[in-house]
Amino acid sequence: MRRGPGPKRAAAITRGKAMVKRRRAMSPEEKAGKKGAHERSGLVCERCGRAHATEVHHRKNRSQGGTWALSNLMDLCSPCHLEVTAFKTIALEQGWSVLREQDPAHEPVWLAGRGYCFLADTGEIHEPEDQDDAA
């Protein structure tokens, strides 16, 4: 028989009957990346261009060496983030996700209202000289 609160309960603080999870501290890179992505997008989803952006998406997964660099981040609404992660083939075709061996700064990404663009680590969006080059 198992005793004690267990790993999930140990990571939480109990207040009355509700359990509140402790927030982990954000690294300076994570704070800067999220802030930069929000500033670039104006808090509007960069995929659909309609909804309020609530989540920051890594084009190259952190488990594959992705960083908090702005070229690797997209500011998305929750439904778009779910679709991007669920439909991997389409996400790769549109540049919303990139492969482990690819550099997000050199891979075009389709953005709402702009078409294919390149995201710079400075927060700028660069449109290709010819849209056909990006596709």
Side-chain angles (χ1 to χ4, degrees), residues 4-132:
K8 288 187 179 180
R9 291 187 60 90
I13 304 170
T14 56
R15 292 194 178 138
K17 293 184 179 181
M19 283 190 26
V20 179
K21 290 186 179 180
R22 291 184 188 164
R23 289 184 156 227
R24 66 170 177 77
M26 274 195 271
S27 70
E29 295 82 12
E30 182 177 357
K31 283 182 186 178
K34 286 183 176 186
K35 181 181 178 189
H38 296 327
E39 288 174 355
R40 181 182 66 213
S41 72
L43 294 175
V44 175
C45 179
E46 293 181 298
R47 182 176 173 263
C48 71
R50 295 183 303 269
H52 179 73
T54 56
E55 301 177 11
V56 176
H57 167 69
H58 285 81
R59 296 173 64 203
K60 181 191 286 191
N61 294 332
R62 292 178 62 213
S63 63
Q64 297 177 329
T67 66
W68 288 99
L70 290 176
S71 61
N72 190 43
L73 301 177
M74 291 184 70
D75 213 8
L76 302 177
C77 64
S78 187
C80 282
H81 198 193
L82 287 171
E83 286 185 28
V84 165
T85 55
F87 299 102
K88 296 190 185 306
T89 303
I90 295 170
L92 287 168
E93 290 171 358
Q94 301 298 318
W96 302 322
S97 293
V98 298
L99 299 173
R100 175 186 308 254
E101 59 273 4
Q102 295 175 312
D103 179 359
H106 297 107
E107 296 299 324
V109 58
W110 189 91
L111 299 179
R114 298 191 81 137
Y116 283 97
C117 302
F118 293 93
L119 303 178
D121 289 336
T122 59
E124 297 172 329
I125 299 172
H126 300 283
E127 296 183 19
E129 305 219 356
D130 183 2
Q131 285 286 331
D132 293 334

